[in-house]
Amino acid sequence: MSGGETPKTTPAPTDRGRMDKRRAIVDAALRVFARVGYTQASLDLIAAEAGVAKPTIYNHLGSKEKLFRYVMTETAARSNAKTLDVLDSFPTGPDGLRPGLENVAHKLIDCYCDEQSESVRRLLYAEAVRFPDLFDQVRASGPNQFTDALAGRLARLANSGHLQIEDPERAANQFIALVYEELAGLSALGTRPLDPDRVEQIVSAGVDTFLRAFGSRPPEVSG
């Protein structure tokens, strides 16, 4: 190593072990909360699911309420990191716009419909009365960030004249609704399997509706 180089640091083995244990607790807690609900879940059940001692949960994340809040926001943030990767293949011009949007829609559905994302969504609605502030916290740590990023991509297409959009954020929310919201009902928030052919139909119809609403129109020819 030369004198001007700074040695790279890696987490100490004890730090890595602590992070892995915390991840195991979070994943186990989500499974238990999703299976029996917040009220019936106990730290004993979660400890058994995670394969750790009950005091370990207290040491890492505290009480059941603190654990629940952390599980919800952390899982949403983790899922959001995968969802943001969907936008890497977002179309940038008119060539292949429709198939590009369909491809993004399918990848988005894969993220939204995975087991952990659906578990968080079910718990968020089920416990909205008990934790009214948590809804906004979970949205902020996950879905809102994706909506903002999608709005930015749509704004670029609009600025280039490939779409006609006045409010990119609203258009982003409408795109998500068109390709996903019907599936949430059909799957009962992830508790029933989805028919791939039905998914294909909904995505195709959703993208078609979106482009009819926001697609660029040819200039009018004067008489």
Side-chain angles (χ1 to χ4, degrees):
M1 179 188 305
S2 65
E5 292 181 354
T6 302
K8 295 181 180 180
T9 59
T10 57
T14 53
D15 293 338
R16 173 58 62 187
R18 182 175 177 82
M19 291 167 60
D20 290 344
K21 186 165 290 186
R22 176 174 290 226
R23 174 68 178 264
I25 292 170
V26 169
D27 290 346
L30 179 61
R31 292 194 297 271
V32 172
F33 285 131
R35 188 165 65 240
V36 303
Y38 177 82
T39 301
Q40 297 300 318
S42 68
L43 293 185
D44 288 318
L45 278 175
I46 294 168
E49 183 85 14
V52 300
K54 183 177 176 180
T56 302
I57 296 179
Y58 281 113
N59 291 337
H60 278 265
L61 295 161
S63 66
K64 183 172 86 168
E65 178 177 338
K66 289 181 178 178
L67 174 61
F68 181 71
R69 289 178 177 276
Y70 182 84
V71 166
M72 294 290 282
T73 55
E74 170 66 15
T75 306
R78 194 191 308 163
S79 297
N80 187 56
K82 293 193 302 181
T83 308
L84 287 172
D85 289 341
V86 167
L87 297 178
D88 289 345
S89 60
F90 196 84
T92 58
D95 294 337
L97 180 57
R98 181 189 178 87
L101 289 176
E102 289 182 345
N103 181 48
V104 167
H106 279 292
K107 290 180 177 179
L108 177 63
I109 289 167
D110 288 342
C111 292
Y112 275 14
C113 293
D114 73 7
E115 184 177 354
Q116 290 194 337
S117 295
E118 293 285 31
S119 294
V120 167
R121 200 170 288 112
R122 291 195 302 271
L123 285 166
L124 193 63
Y125 295 143
E127 302 299 336
V129 174
R130 188 188 306 273
F131 300 106
D133 61 313
L134 190 57
F135 185 90
D136 291 334
Q137 293 175 17
V138 171
R139 294 286 304 179
S141 64
N144 287 354
Q145 294 181 31
F146 176 78
T147 302
D148 289 344
L150 176 58
R153 300 301 196 282
L154 292 174
R156 291 178 196 172
L157 287 172
N159 291 336
S160 300
H162 307 313
L163 293 176
Q164 292 189 339
I165 295 175
E166 294 182 1
D167 186 338
E169 183 177 353
R170 178 170 294 168
N173 278 310
Q174 290 172 342
F175 178 81
I176 295 168
L178 285 167
V179 301
Y180 168 72
E181 290 302 328
E182 187 176 349
L183 296 174
L186 289 174
S187 70
L189 293 178
T191 60
R192 292 195 296 257
L194 288 167
D195 178 4
D197 291 337
R198 185 65 172 145
V199 173
E200 184 65 42
Q201 293 169 2
I202 289 171
V203 167
S204 180
V207 171
D208 186 54
T209 301
F210 184 83
L211 288 175
R212 282 204 304 270
F214 298 110
S216 61
R217 297 171 179 83
E220 295 184 1
V221 178
S222 61

